[in-house]
Structure formats: C-alpha cells, structure tokens
Amino acid sequence: AGYHWAGGVGHLREGVSDHMAWEPAGDAEHFLLGLFKKRPDRHRDALRFIYEMEVIIRGAGGKVCVRTDKPDLWDIMDGRDHFAEPNHLNPAIFDCDTILLAGFKDLEEVHSWWASDEVFELMKNRDVVMEKMSLHTIDGLVSSFEGTKKRATLGDKLLLLEIVQMDSFKPMQRYVDSYKSKAIKAPKDIGAMCNLLFAEGISGVLINEFPVQVACASCWRTRSDLLSWYEAPGYQKELLPLRYSSARCLTVVLPMWEEKKETFDATRRRGSVAAGLKLRNLNI
C-alpha cells in the first residue's frame, strides 16, 4: 500500500482555491523509482543487472528517463547523513549508488512488466549482486520521456530528487500539496519553469529495502534556475520546516544524462577485447 493524496499538477480547476486543486495533465503517466546499492565485489555483475532491467523496461513499453551510476557526479543538497552514515550508530537510510527513474503509460503496464518472465529470471540474481534495492511506483503529473543525450543537451539538464521517510503523515501531506502549488507558480515567483514530474506519496511498493514513502522530482535547464527554486523564501521558510519536523529526507541533484561509451551487447561481441575495458567506459 502507498501513500496517495489528492491533487496534482497540470492545471487549476476553476472556482476553487489552489489548495489540493492542481490536477495531473491528461497524459500523466506512472513513474518507477529504483534505488540500488551494489555489492562491491560484484560491481560489474550489478551493472549488468541494472542494464538488463533497463532493457526489460523498454521491452515492456516503458521509458528510462534517468539512470545514474556515478555518485561523484551527484550534488547532495540536504540529508548527507542519510546518504553516507556519519558513524556506525546512525546508519544511512538512503545509501544508494545507482538511481533509476522510468515511466510507464499506466499501472497495468507496470504490473505487466513486473509480472513478466524476464523480470522473474532477472530477480533470481538480485541478492547475489545487490546489497539492497528498492522499486516504488509514484503517480506522475506529466508524461514520461526517454532520456537521451540530445534531450539533455537541448532541454533539461538536471533532476532535483527528494526521497523521504515520514515521521508524521499530515505535515508531509501539506508538504506535497504546497510543493505542487509552488511549482505551478514558479515562473512568476522565481522567473523559471519548474518541470515537476511528481510530488506524492508512493503509490506502490515492489521491493522495499530503502524506506521511500514520499518522493518529489523536478527537471531544470540550468543550475541557477534550480538554485532559485531551492533558495526561494517559499521553499526555505515553508517547505523545509515541514520536512525537517516530520521526515528524514535525501535531496540530491542528478545529471539527466551521463556520458558513456560502451554497451554490454558490444562488449559481448568483442569477446576478449571486452575484458580489458574499464567500467567507467561502459555505456550501460
């Protein structure tokens, strides 16, 4: 069971206030958020596992919006202690090293993908290559997209992702309602468009080894636009206090595209040449 609250983004219903009045766009889709922590001694096998998951997602009609395996390229805006534990007495709850965001047309497509023989076979090796992982579904506010280098070059370059474990339900309900309202008003308030993909309690749990209960994701063309949103009085004085008082959160900026050079399919074809390739040169 997920935490789903009414509301959305896309347009404002006439004759009502903006509180919980924003509705999803007509072509809104369902997003799949995957967090992964790879076993260090099985790093390459874990990368292959995630790559094959991408292939199966696309084969089932889904789109891979963002896939990032390089935490050194991530910018932790808030919640670093939840990403890297400060000491053994306070383990990090979101200590992932790969983040995958995919989109499906509807829940039926998600369930069809998850129930497929391909996913069943893939999951047999999960515990061998992963220390832990999670897969959660979230109701989107817009349609999903296939992440490409061209798209990142010409459009949004950064993803602002917030993943949340709640301590209290009602304040976080207010948080996502306010988040969506402020996103719609961003062009007027900060002079930049906030391309909000979702801001909602999770709607479904497939694997739950990271305690994600709420997630917000928005796309940005420039870092200055993103910072204008994050540093705006409405965010700092209204959203942050709600979050700090009621949840534990990791807020991270991710690249919409990571430059990669080699595919697993290509390395298989090249045989012995593949053995000499470094992981950082793999396009997976």
Side-chain angles (χ1 to χ4, degrees), residues 21-50:
W22 303 103
E23 296 185 337
D27 59 351
E29 299 186 353
H30 292 266
F31 287 87
L32 175 75
L33 177 63
L35 306 180
F36 305 84
K37 184 176 183 180
K38 300 180 285 291
R39 294 191 182 278
D41 60 335
R42 302 301 296 269
H43 190 82
R44 178 179 171 79
D45 293 333
L47 288 172
R48 186 186 297 275
F49 176 97
I50 299 167

Side-chain angles (χ1 to χ4, degrees), residues 1-3 32-36 93-96 99 133-138 161-166 198 200-216 248-250:
Y3 298 88
L32 175 75
L33 177 63
L35 306 180
F36 305 84
I93 59 173
F94 296 126
D95 55 338
C96 57
I99 296 176
M133 64 177 283
S134 67
L135 295 170
H136 294 92
T137 60
I138 307 153
L161 177 66
E162 300 183 20
I163 47 178
V164 179
Q165 181 186 41
M166 294 188 296
F198 50 81
E200 195 61 272
I202 55 101
S203 58
V205 179
L206 304 179
I207 299 176
N208 196 33
E209 294 170 356
F210 289 99
V212 181
Q213 295 175 311
V214 176
C216 305
R248 292 184 286 175
C249 176
L250 173 66

